[in-house]
Structure formats: structure tokens, C-alpha cells
Amino acid sequence: MLNKQPIPSNQQTGQSIPIRWIVSDLDGTLLDSRQQIPPELVRRIARFTQSGGRFTFATGRTLSAAMPFISLLQVTSPVILFNGARIYDPVSGTYLTEHYLEPAAVRHVMRMYEEAGTAGHLDLLLFHQEGIFSTAISEQVKQQMRKDGVVIEKASPLWMESISGKVTKLMLLGPEAEIISFQIAASAIPLNTVQSERQLLEVLPSGINKSIALSAMIRLVGAEADGFAAVGD
């Protein structure tokens, strides 16, 4: 059960509202170059929550990759994962919302990857349930595993296509120029893409992003948008 905390609006009080909620990105924002949250920042977040504030984050990461930071910061508010495709409640241990790519979109990306992947030195990652899968475990896939602290399993293209109805998101890894070219080609379909890092392109369910997920989260907790601050790189 969510702990709903109604917050009065500016229209009701006629006064400015202090920030009650902070929603932060992880990579490039909370995390340093070692993929850690600096101790002083952990202490500042603790002071904010101890004074009555609510802290959470919105990230492109999976639950397993986000869980160490949920535990470290003792987050009890809903967490936005997969760049908005899922909202997770740490208290109940369940997903509050889940969105999936259209099977046709998955098949489109796989065909595009088959045509451009090898020549462009790209790797395709598929996110299904709590697992991450790739057709090959290249060096850049290994780097992604080390960066996010996750396990990426090898899977055949045939198997990946067989579960196309339950894919949370797809990710392309590779040189920035090739990533941009792939994104331009994907826009003609069109597909919902975001270049979340220079060498990383994510394909998300239609109409999904962090902003939309944050609006959904605000409604779920019964709060007002005026009480929120969102922080990212």
C-alpha cells in the first residue's frame, strides 16, 4: 500500500510550496565515475528524508541494477525504472506500472540490427522480465555488465523474437556515430528512442519516457506536482 501524502496546491494556500519530493537520475547525476554515490551526498539525502522529505530516482536501469542504491539510500517511495517503462514500489516489492514494446517494434529493431549491427560494430540488448539478453557477449557488452553490475546472457535471435510480446526495452551499444545513424533510421518507422548516453541508444514502448512516468507516479502517491523537484544530467 502506497503511503499517500496529499500536498496543498499554490491555488489553495496562496503561498509557495517547499519541495517535498526530489526525483534524481542515477548515471551521470547521483553516481560518480566509479559508479558510486559519494558519501557526503548520501548524508545530505539522509538529512533531507529525516526532515520529512521524500527522495527517489528515475533511471534507465533495471531493478537489479538499481537495487543497491535503493538499499543504500533507504528509498521507500516509488522508483522509476527502464526510463519510465516501469514504476517499482520498494515497500510492497511489486511493480505499480509496466509497459512493453509492441512486438512489431521489436521485430523492426532486430531486422535493422541484423542489417547494420556487424558493419556498425553495434550490440543489441533485449530486456525481458528481469533478464538482459544479447546475441553475443562482446567487449562492449562486458563493459556494460561491469558498469551496471548486471549479468547479460547470450540468446539466439530466434528466441529473442519469440518473446517479442514481453520486451520492456531494447538497447543498442556502439560508436556514437553509428548510434546516431541508427536513431535517424529508427525515426522513420517511427520508434520511441532516447540516446541516454553517447554510445547508448534505448528503444522504449510508445509514449513512454521519464517525464510521463513521473506524472503517473505523482498521481499514484496522491501528491501535487508543485512539491516535486527533478534532477538529471
Side-chain angles (χ1 to χ4, degrees):
M1 181 68 68
L2 289 177
N3 180 16
K4 295 192 176 185
Q5 296 186 340
I7 299 173
S9 68
N10 281 334
Q11 290 74 21
Q12 291 172 321
T13 65
Q15 299 176 349
S16 61
I17 297 177
I19 294 301
R20 304 283 183 86
W21 295 72
I22 295 177
V23 184
S24 176
D25 185 22
L26 278 176
D27 294 278
T29 304
L30 278 185
L31 304 185
D32 60 19
S33 59
R34 298 174 298 167
Q35 301 302 300
Q36 297 177 359
I37 303 177
E40 174 56 26
L41 188 51
V42 174
R43 289 191 289 269
R44 293 178 66 183
I45 292 169
R47 288 197 295 271
F48 175 72
T49 57
Q50 288 164 7
S51 67
R54 304 290 294 272
F55 182 87
T56 187
F57 43 80
T59 177
R61 290 184 176 227
T62 64
L63 176 58
S64 62
M67 188 57 76
F69 307 109
I70 293 175
S71 299
L72 174 66
L73 300 176
Q74 300 181 25
V75 175
T76 58
S77 300
V79 178
I80 296 169
L81 303 171
F82 297 94
N83 266 332
R86 293 188 179 189
I87 299 176
Y88 174 76
D89 178 21
V91 176
S92 65
T94 59
Y95 287 112
L96 303 176
T97 64
E98 296 182 71
H99 300 274
Y100 297 97
L101 282 159
E102 290 289 334
V106 176
R107 291 192 291 269
H108 272 305
V109 174
M110 292 190 67
R111 297 295 178 270
M112 291 172 63
Y113 171 71
E114 289 172 1
E115 295 173 2
T118 303
H121 303 98
L122 297 175
D123 284 299
L124 175 67
L125 306 184
L126 179 147
F127 293 72
H128 168 64
Q129 296 179 348
E130 299 304 322
I132 310 175
F133 304 90
S134 178
T135 56
I137 308 301
S138 68
E139 184 55 39
Q140 61 189 3
V141 170
K142 293 177 182 177
Q143 289 176 1
Q144 189 69 21
M145 282 195 275
R146 290 191 291 268
K147 172 179 172 292
D148 287 355
V150 296
V151 174
I152 299 174
E153 302 178 58
K154 186 175 181 180
S156 70
L158 185 62
W159 180 84
M160 292 168 72
E161 190 163 331
S162 73
I163 50 92
S164 60
K166 284 290 185 178
V167 176
T168 306
K169 73 173 182 177
L170 297 166
M171 179 185 291
L172 279 301
L173 305 174
E176 184 176 15
E178 300 297 335
I179 289 292
I180 292 173
S181 295
F182 199 100
Q183 186 174 32
I184 292 171
S187 67
I189 294 176
L191 294 171
N192 181 20
T193 63
V194 57
Q195 188 181 1
S196 47
E197 297 179 20
R198 291 178 61 188
Q199 298 181 322
L200 191 157
L201 181 70
E202 298 185 54
V203 183
L204 302 173
S206 178
I208 293 299
N209 57 41
K210 287 182 181 179
S211 177
I212 290 172
L214 178 56
S215 295
M217 191 191 87
I218 291 171
R219 292 192 297 270
L220 285 168
V221 300
E224 296 287 342
D226 286 348
F228 282 73
V231 185
D233 58 335

